[in-house]
């Protein structure tokens, strides 16, 4: 990923595509439990109500300063779409999430050092068509996106999404949930056709 996408200063009231990958392309999620823990960390920072730890201490609560609109966790990387109302909240949010996950991962797998290859990357989203396409790109990261449990795709499909996922701004760009799901499916089918053509050309 190009370093020009490494934002040090965020602009409030904008969407951002935030992503990062494991050090030297290594995996940052080895088991389902790792993905589940990452989701728990996301939730405790941006749920509607503040969340406390086992000792009753409140975790940093960053909503409504930041919304999580979409995400996908893959073995070696992650993608998120966030809406930022307070520029300082973005860096605090990602840093808190990555610090917690790195500490968890290093302790569990008896390793040391950074987990991801660099500071997270962030790309500002300036137009509605970009917003539509980036959510589709995020949800299609896994080829089995309809059954992949570690993304927000199902929050877009179900009647009541989890309260820490705000799908409304994206779904409002479509006539409804079904229109959005069709929008995702159409590109998935196109991608399969392209892959099939590539295989045929290679075999020929």
């Amino acid at each position: 990923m190009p370093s020009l996408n490494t934002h040090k200063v965020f602009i409030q009231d904008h969407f951002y595509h935030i992503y990062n990958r494991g050090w030297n392309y290594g995996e940052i999620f080895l088991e389902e439990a790792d993905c589940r823990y990452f989701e728990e960390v996301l939730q405790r920072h941006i749920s509607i109500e503040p969340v406390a730890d086992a000792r009753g201490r409140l975790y940093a609560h960053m909503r409504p300063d930041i919304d999580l609109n979409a995400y996908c966790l893959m073995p070696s990387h992650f993608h998120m779409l966030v809406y930022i109302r307070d520029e300082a909240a973005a860096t605090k949010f990602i840093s808190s999430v990555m610090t917690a996950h790195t500490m968890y991962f290093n302790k569990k797998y008896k390793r040391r050092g950074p987990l991801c290859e660099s500071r997270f990357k962030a790309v500002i989203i300036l137009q509605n068509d970009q917003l539509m396409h980036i959510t589709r790109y995020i949800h299609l990261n896994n080829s089995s996106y309809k059954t992949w449990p570690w993304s927000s795709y199902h929050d877009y499909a179900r009647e009541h999404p989890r309260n820490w996922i705000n799908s409304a701004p994206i779904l409002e760009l479509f006539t409804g949930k079904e229109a959005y799901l069709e929008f995702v499916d159409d590109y998935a089918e196109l991608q399969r056709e392209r892959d099939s053509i590539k295989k045929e050309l290679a075999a020929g």
Side-chain angles (χ1 to χ4, degrees):
M1 302 291 184
S3 59
L4 58 86
N5 288 339
T6 305
H7 279 246
K8 291 183 172 61
V9 178
F10 288 89
I11 303 172
Q12 66 182 34
D13 298 323
H14 280 80
F15 290 95
Y16 281 86
H17 173 208
I18 294 176
Y19 55 96
N20 210 340
R21 65 187 179 195
W23 181 265
N24 198 27
Y25 297 90
E27 294 188 341
I28 59 177
F29 304 105
L30 296 179
E31 301 176 355
E32 288 189 358
D34 303 337
C35 295
R36 191 174 298 113
Y37 177 80
F38 194 92
E39 288 186 336
E40 289 173 0
V41 176
L42 292 176
Q43 181 180 4
R44 72 192 188 192
H45 288 306
I46 55 171
S47 60
I48 294 178
E49 298 295 333
V51 177
D53 65 13
R55 298 174 62 182
R57 297 172 300 186
L58 292 177
Y59 291 109
H61 188 240
M62 301 169 194
R63 194 165 177 173
D65 292 336
I66 185 167
D67 285 346
L68 178 61
N69 306 103
Y71 77 95
C72 183
L73 309 183
M74 297 292 287
S76 64
H77 62 281
F78 67 84
H79 293 271
M80 291 190 281
L81 176 73
V82 300
Y83 186 78
I84 296 167
R85 297 184 182 86
D86 184 307
E87 56 270 27
T91 300
K92 183 178 180 182
F93 170 65
I94 301 301
S95 296
S96 297
V97 170
M98 287 310 304
T99 296
H101 187 71
T102 299
M103 292 176 63
Y104 155 89
F105 194 91
N106 285 356
K107 180 179 180 180
K108 180 177 180 179
Y109 297 106
K110 297 178 172 59
R111 66 182 299 279
R112 299 178 64 183
L115 183 58
C116 289
E117 67 174 9
S118 65
R119 191 176 185 272
F120 67 88
K121 313 300 191 304
V123 179
I124 192 170
I125 308 299
L126 297 173
Q127 299 175 348
N128 283 344
D129 60 341
Q130 288 179 290
L131 186 59
M132 295 161 63
H133 287 285
I134 198 61
T135 58
R136 178 166 67 179
Y137 168 76
I138 289 172
H139 289 146
L140 288 176
N141 246 247
N142 191 283
S143 58
S144 301
Y145 64 97
K146 288 187 176 181
T147 57
W148 183 247
W150 312 114
S151 87
S152 54
Y153 175 80
H154 299 288
D155 295 282
Y156 282 68
R158 61 171 63 105
E159 183 177 354
H160 300 293
R162 290 169 291 180
N163 68 17
W164 48 280
I165 304 294
N166 185 7
S167 59
I170 290 83
L171 292 177
E172 287 171 358
L173 301 175
F174 296 84
T175 56
K177 290 180 180 288
E178 292 302 321
Y180 175 79
L181 299 179
E182 184 177 348
F183 174 73
V184 174
D185 289 344
D186 285 348
Y187 193 80
E189 181 60 35
L190 176 61
Q191 190 62 50
R192 283 192 290 268
E193 291 176 1
R194 289 174 176 171
D195 291 343
S196 177
I197 292 172
K198 286 180 181 179
K199 290 179 180 178
E200 291 178 4
L201 291 174

